[in-house]
Amino acid sequence: MSLFLEKVVEDGDVYYNITSGGYALIVVLALLAFAMISFFKNSDGKGKMSVKQITVSALCLALAFVLSNIKLFKLPTGGSLTVFSMFFVTFIGYLYGPRVSLSAAFAYGLLQMIADPYIISIPQLLCDYILAFGSLGLSGFFHNTKYGMFKGYFAGICGRYFFSVLSGVIFFASYAPEGTSALGYSLTYNASYIGAEAILTIAVLCIPAVRTALNRIKVEALEKGVAKGESISVAR
C-alpha cells in the first residue's frame, strides 16, 4: 500500500498523500475504464460504439473535469459548488445508456482523486470518489425514458449526495458542531453545495432553447439523421 499512498501525520491528524506510483495507477485505471466503452454496444443494441460516439463521451468527460475545477465557492472541510460539472457526466448516460455512463463516471471519480484528493482511509476513498462520483452514472438507466435527461441528472446527483452524506456520517462525524447530530450536519453540509449546483443546473435545463440544443446533440451523437420536417422534443 505504501507504493501508492504515503501516510502523513500533522497536528494529530492522519491522512494520506498519493505517491507517484499511486497517480500512475489512477491514470491507468481511468484509461482502462474509459477504454471499456469501445467494447460496448451502442444504445440501440446494433453494433459497437463508433469512434464519433466514443469521442463525444470523451469530450463530455473532459468538459466535466474542466468545469469541476471552476469553483464558485469551496467549503472549508471539502466539497465545492462548480459550474454544471456533474451534468456533463450524467449527459453521457442520457446519450448512451448505463454501461457507458457507469464506466465514464468511474473514470471521472478517479480523475477527481488526481485533481483534489483528501484521503484518510481506503474505505473513505472508495466512498467519496469511486461510489459518490460513480453514482453519476446512474443517469444512463433513464436514457430512453420521457424526461430522461432530467430523471438521469436527478438520479445521478441523488446517488452522489447519498454517498457524500454517508461518508460524512461515518468518516467525518467529528466535524459536526457540538449538539448537532452527525447525520443532520452531513445532510445539511452536503446539500449546501450539491443541492445548490443541482438547482442552478435544472434552472438552466428548463430553458426551452437549451433543451432543444441538447436533444439535437443527442440525435447527432447517436448518428441518427433527423428526417425532413421532424421536430425534436424539448420535453426529454
Side-chain angles (χ1 to χ4, degrees):
M1 187 60 65
S2 60
L3 179 62
F4 306 113
L5 295 174
E6 177 186 21
K7 185 176 181 179
V8 177
V9 180
E10 188 175 279
D11 297 328
D13 294 327
V14 178
Y15 61 95
Y16 293 87
N17 285 330
I18 301 174
T19 65
S20 298
Y23 281 115
L25 177 63
I26 291 170
V27 170
V28 169
L29 289 175
L31 290 174
L32 287 174
F34 193 78
M36 287 177 61
I37 293 175
S38 64
F39 296 99
F40 295 146
K41 290 185 178 180
N42 57 37
S43 58
D44 62 8
K46 299 177 181 178
K48 293 183 178 180
M49 296 279 287
S50 69
V51 172
K52 178 179 179 180
Q53 292 170 336
I54 294 171
T55 301
V56 170
S57 299
L59 289 173
C60 286
L61 196 61
L63 184 57
F65 182 68
V66 170
L67 291 174
S68 72
N69 289 287
I70 302 176
K71 299 177 171 64
L72 300 183
F73 67 80
K74 185 173 182 179
L75 298 177
T77 55
S80 56
L81 173 61
T82 61
V83 184
F84 311 126
S85 62
M86 292 188 290
F87 169 74
F88 284 101
V89 181
T90 65
F91 190 59
I92 296 173
Y94 176 59
L95 296 177
Y96 301 124
R99 289 175 296 180
V100 175
S101 64
L102 288 169
S103 295
F106 175 70
Y108 181 69
L110 292 170
L111 292 175
Q112 289 301 311
M113 287 176 58
I114 295 175
D116 192 19
Y118 183 74
I119 303 167
I120 61 172
S121 67
I122 297 300
Q124 176 264 329
L125 178 154
L126 293 173
C127 192
D128 274 339
Y129 295 96
I130 305 303
L131 294 177
F133 288 107
S135 293
L136 295 173
L138 295 173
S139 62
F141 290 101
F142 303 90
H143 75 293
N144 272 337
T145 65
K146 189 176 183 180
Y147 306 111
M149 185 163 58
F150 289 94
K151 290 177 181 177
Y153 179 70
F154 186 72
I157 61 171
C158 283
R160 185 187 170 188
Y161 180 65
F162 172 81
F163 285 108
S164 296
V165 169
L166 184 65
S167 175
V169 172
I170 297 175
F171 305 109
F172 301 103
S174 60
Y175 287 91
E178 187 175 352
T180 303
S181 70
L183 177 59
Y185 178 69
S186 187
L187 287 168
T188 304
Y189 183 92
N190 287 288
S192 67
Y193 65 96
I194 295 177
E197 181 170 337
I199 292 170
L200 179 62
T201 301
I202 291 173
V204 173
L205 293 180
C206 284
I207 300 172
V210 173
R211 298 203 306 277
T212 300
L214 291 172
N215 279 288
R216 171 72 66 172
I217 290 172
K218 181 173 184 177
V219 170
E220 295 297 330
L222 291 175
E223 300 180 293
K224 296 178 180 178
V226 181
K228 184 177 181 180
E230 180 183 352
S231 63
I232 300 175
S233 171
V234 298
R236 297 182 62 184

